[in-house]
Amino acid sequence: MTLIYAGLSLGAVYALVAIGYNIVFVASRSFNFAQAQLMMIGAFVAYTGHVTLGLPAIVVVALAMVVVMLVAAILERVAVRPVADHQTQLITTLGFGTVLTGLAQLIWGSQPLDVPFFGAKEAMTLFGGRLYSFELGLIVLSVVLVAVIHLYNRRMMSGLAIVAMSQDDEAAVLRGINVRKLAFAAFAITGLLAGLMGFFIGPKTFAVATLGSALALKGFVALAIGGFGSFYGGLVGGFVVGLVEEHAARYLGSEFSNLSVFLILILVLMLRPTGLFGQTQERTV
Amino acid sequence: MKARQARWAALLAAATLVLSACGTSDDGGATEANEPFVIMMSAGADAGPVTDQLLTALVSAKAGVATVNAAGGVNGRQVQLLESPDNANPTKALSALRAQIAKKKPDAYIVGAGSNVSAAVAPILNQNKILFMNAANIPATADPKQHPLAFNLAASPQVVVDGYLPEFEAKGYKKIGILHGNSAYAKTFGELSETTFKKAGYDVVAVEYDSAALDMTAQISTLRDAAPDVVVFNAYGAPAGYVLKGITKLGWDVPLLGDTSVSSTPLITQEPPVGLLGSPDLKNLTLEVTKSTVYDPAAEATNKAVKAMTSIGKINGSMNNCLSYDAILLIAAAAKSAGSTDPAAMAKALEDSKVTEGAGTAIYATYPYSADSHEPKLPIDTHSFAAPGPIVNGQLGSPGN
């Protein structure tokens, strides 16, 4: 059971990255390759709030969310909006992520920093398995976030507008939807959530400048397994990656850990090229 | 006939001009006393997890240069340190070295961190007959047959591994668990530990982890199932924290021996909330450290080096990161003994134990090289074991605490 918890909590980290990728993908059909770095900034801000400023947990969460939202807004203005096509945005967001990594290293240094968690510090036993409270928090957060985003996209007018944009942005404009404003809002919300995610991820991974690059690839694999555009898919994909990684490391050896993850990815893409929960769209030619 | 001779003469003159223009201005290592002795060094401030090591290596090299220059330089020539801003990137380091050689060949080269950089620059340094002091050990630079002008500075993995045997004996451990990463050094450490401990008659179980992994639960579970009496582990940076947190999470009460990479990790040697020092995660941990990492008021050379380094910059991690200080002092001692700054003569001098013993080095008291091996054959007591504590100015128990 301990190994399952470890896999799920690690998978939740990847799923949170995938959620960030998906929000931007659904809203603007582009990938934000700086998403993992935004979460890394969230972890560092959480560290500063907790350790340097000694703020209460709720204020630290709010601070991390606001700071990363502002960073994400700058990202949209600097690296996304001036670029016309989505392919180029892959490069510009990747570049912005590299800048964020460098800035984090300049501000917080290159060594890992221990981010305290507001819950119990000791590991607990749950259904015969051992896990930390922040690991449980990560699993719960990823599930709750996906459920909330799903409901938002189905029940709220702005959520429906985002879904409409993802299906046909020209038609959405004709229906009076402000596409540019909503795309900007998607980035800002991604930042807001990345700040929240950083607060939960930091206690597990430490706040460290290399965190972004460590998360970016596995988050993308989670998304590819689950299906681009599907929030439940990203969640399941993240859990699959985490569980496969842990079980392969345990029973086959750590050298088979990444190998097994990419084998699963290839298998999924061979059987379902759109991912487990991805939808094929019909096109009239 | 005369016209033909004139044509040949003109052609010869032109060829001479062309050939002389193609040659470099390098004179094969300037030896005039008024020219500086140039030491090039791999450096940078944006090298990911090895940034601190690079920065500290540079501070230690600068301190070494200041010490040597204050004592009259290298055979009267002032030492000039030339930074290669490659951030431990082998491609950039190689380009910078080639560019510098084309401009003016440096007299010596130092790698403070990054074995990939060592592997990349070693052949070029060898080809151009440049003395190479390498703190990021690779087997090739320990072999004088391959690289006669290269010298490893760090203790060999064998010395590090042998240092555990008296500790096992003293504590009565019979079964040893080894947990190591998958970097080049970590793999060597793991393989050598397994072989050495088995040869010494211990039961051994070794588990490797991916240095980029964010969770070590699986690897620690594998080790726990084998029920070793002690776990020897190797980790630098965040992985050291993942290992310790993972062991605490599983509630596994086992003695832990962290190697020198663990003791060089600030996360382990700083108190909460910044680091884990004093937390339950470290209650079973003992660190393997070099003697110079433990403050000793009687260690004059080490204390002098620490003073020189802290007057220039910050020592991040332990004294293990400061081998470049010793590199500069060894170069000066070799030149003095050889009476020359000719690289081959200096290399020959470094193979003489009297030269390295009298160099005034700080991290290790001596660097016993030989004509057969350019890896310092350090005595087994070079390393000792200490309880984790705050490392300030590179040392445990430093008066700076």
Side-chain angles (χ1 to χ4, degrees), chain A residues 2-3 6 10 47 51 105 110-114 123 130-132 135 204-206 210-211 215 246 249-250 254 258, chain B residues 46-48 51-52 208-210 214-215 217-218 221-222 225 236 238 241-242 245 248-250 266-267 273-274 276:
Chain A
T2 302
L3 204 60
L10 187 62
Y47 169 83
V51 177
Q105 203 162 288
S110 61
Q111 289 297 326
L113 301 170
D114 191 24
R130 300 272 298 167
L131 80 166
Y132 283 112
E135 291 181 310
K204 179 167 176 68
T205 62
F206 301 110
T210 50
L211 185 61
L215 293 179
E246 286 291 333
R250 173 71 177 87
S254 66
N258 285 335
Chain B
D46 181 18
T51 302
D52 275 0
E208 182 181 297
Y209 66 84
D210 179 356
L214 299 172
D215 189 281
T217 309
S221 299
T222 307
D225 286 357
Y236 179 74
Y242 301 151
K245 278 192 179 289
T248 308
K249 180 172 82 173
L250 295 183
L267 184 71
V274 178
L276 300 170

Side-chain angles (χ1 to χ4, degrees), chain B residues 137-150:
Chain B
N137 287 12
I138 54 170
T141 51
D143 182 3
K145 288 191 183 77
Q146 288 183 61
H147 295 277
L149 303 178

Side-chain angles (χ1 to χ4, degrees), chain A residues 26-74:
Chain A
V26 167
S28 61
R29 286 280 148 193
S30 64
F31 280 107
N32 172 20
F33 274 153
Q35 176 62 29
Q37 279 79 5
L38 290 177
M39 290 165 67
M40 170 201 73
I41 295 290
F44 275 119
V45 175
Y47 169 83
T48 303
H50 264 307
V51 177
T52 314
L53 305 175
L55 299 172
I58 189 76
V59 183
V60 173
V61 174
L63 181 72
M65 290 173 79
V66 170
V67 169
V68 184
M69 183 184 73
L70 289 174
V71 175
I74 294 169

Side-chain angles (χ1 to χ4, degrees), chain B residues 302-321:
Chain B
T302 308
N303 297 339
K304 182 183 166 190
V306 170
K307 197 176 170 189
M309 285 187 265
T310 49
S311 69
I312 289 170
K314 199 177 164 200
I315 302 173
N316 297 312
S318 73
M319 292 294 279
N320 282 347
N321 297 339

Side-chain angles (χ1 to χ4, degrees), chain B residues 217-277:
Chain B
T217 309
Q219 292 84 350
I220 295 165
S221 299
T222 307
L223 264 184
R224 190 182 59 170
D225 286 357
D229 300 323
V230 63
V231 172
V232 173
F233 80 105
N234 152 291
Y236 179 74
Y242 301 151
V243 170
L244 292 167
K245 278 192 179 289
I247 287 173
T248 308
K249 180 172 82 173
L250 295 183
W252 188 19
D253 197 17
V254 64
L256 300 166
L257 295 175
D259 83 336
T260 48
S261 59
V262 181
S263 58
S264 297
T265 299
L267 184 71
I268 307 301
T269 55
Q270 291 183 23
E271 283 164 346
V274 178
L276 300 170
L277 195 60

